Amino acid sequence: NSIIRINPNARSLALTLDQERQAEGPRGLLHGIPVVVKDNYNTVDLPTTAGSVALAGFMPSSDAFQVTKLRDAGAIILAKANMDEHAFMNDGLSSLGGQTKNAYDYTRNPGGSSAGTAVAIAANFASIGLGTDTCGSISIPAAFNNLVGLRPTKGLTSVAGVIPLLDTDVTGPMTRSVKDLAILMDVMQGYDTNDPAT
């Protein structure tokens, strides 16, 4: 139960990006790389629910700043990941996606609230992913699923277009290696006019 929704356009996006790479070269190190994003990041082509049945049909009018940055870098938003409902708690349970299971042992806690992202990466559904963190919501599921996660300093990454738990929330990367995390952070960090903290 790590995934709430798969992007039905992922294959066609991948084909288009492969053709672009052949014709013009890669946009950067994320060109054609599949990414899962926690389901509190706004995406114009997929509902954004924060794991809640109350938001099951919510279609945002614009992408979150981080989603735009990923798309501009050539990454493919493969799926929206399950999460603790409204990012509240730390065990990966939501009314829309059910109980996320730990990738290595179904009887163990997967961590939260970014459990779906962590489990999806650990299960090799995608190479990298985005979580959000108020108080351990990236580092805990990363640790529980043998990944690398980073809770950036507030203001290093924009939270514009993300359904928040608190105003102290940050957006951050989750990967299988420190090198991949550094590559993803290079894309994520930066100034956003819609987030004064940046």
Side-chain angles (χ1 to χ4, degrees), residues 66-89:
Q66 296 299 341
V67 171
T68 299
K69 292 196 89 173
L70 286 173
R71 294 192 207 268
D72 289 348
I76 301 164
I77 307 301
L78 182 65
K80 302 294 285 288
N82 199 6
M83 57 183 284
D84 281 293
E85 191 160 343
H86 297 289
F88 185 73
M89 297 305 288

Side-chain angles (χ1 to χ4, degrees), residues 30 127-128 173-185:
L30 293 187
S127 302
I128 56 179
M174 303 171 80
T175 65
R176 287 196 286 276
S177 73
V178 173
K179 183 178 180 180
D180 286 350
L181 186 133
I183 291 168
L184 184 51
M185 270 305 300

Side-chain angles (χ1 to χ4, degrees), residues 127-181:
S127 302
I128 56 179
L130 301 187
T132 60
D133 194 304
T134 305
C135 187
S137 291
I138 289 174
S139 57
I140 294 169
F144 286 9
N145 290 278
N146 196 33
L147 300 176
V148 180
L150 177 67
R151 183 195 199 283
T153 302
K154 180 72 174 174
L156 182 61
T157 59
S158 172
V159 296
V162 175
I163 298 172
L165 175 60
L166 297 173
D167 62 3
T168 56
D169 289 1
V170 296
T171 57
M174 303 171 80
T175 65
R176 287 196 286 276
S177 73
V178 173
K179 183 178 180 180
D180 286 350
L181 186 133

Side-chain angles (χ1 to χ4, degrees), residues 39-43 46-50 55 58-60 80 163:
D39 199 22
N40 58 349
Y41 284 80
N42 283 347
T43 47
L46 295 166
T48 299
T49 71
L55 296 174
F58 172 61
M59 292 296 294
K80 302 294 285 288
I163 298 172

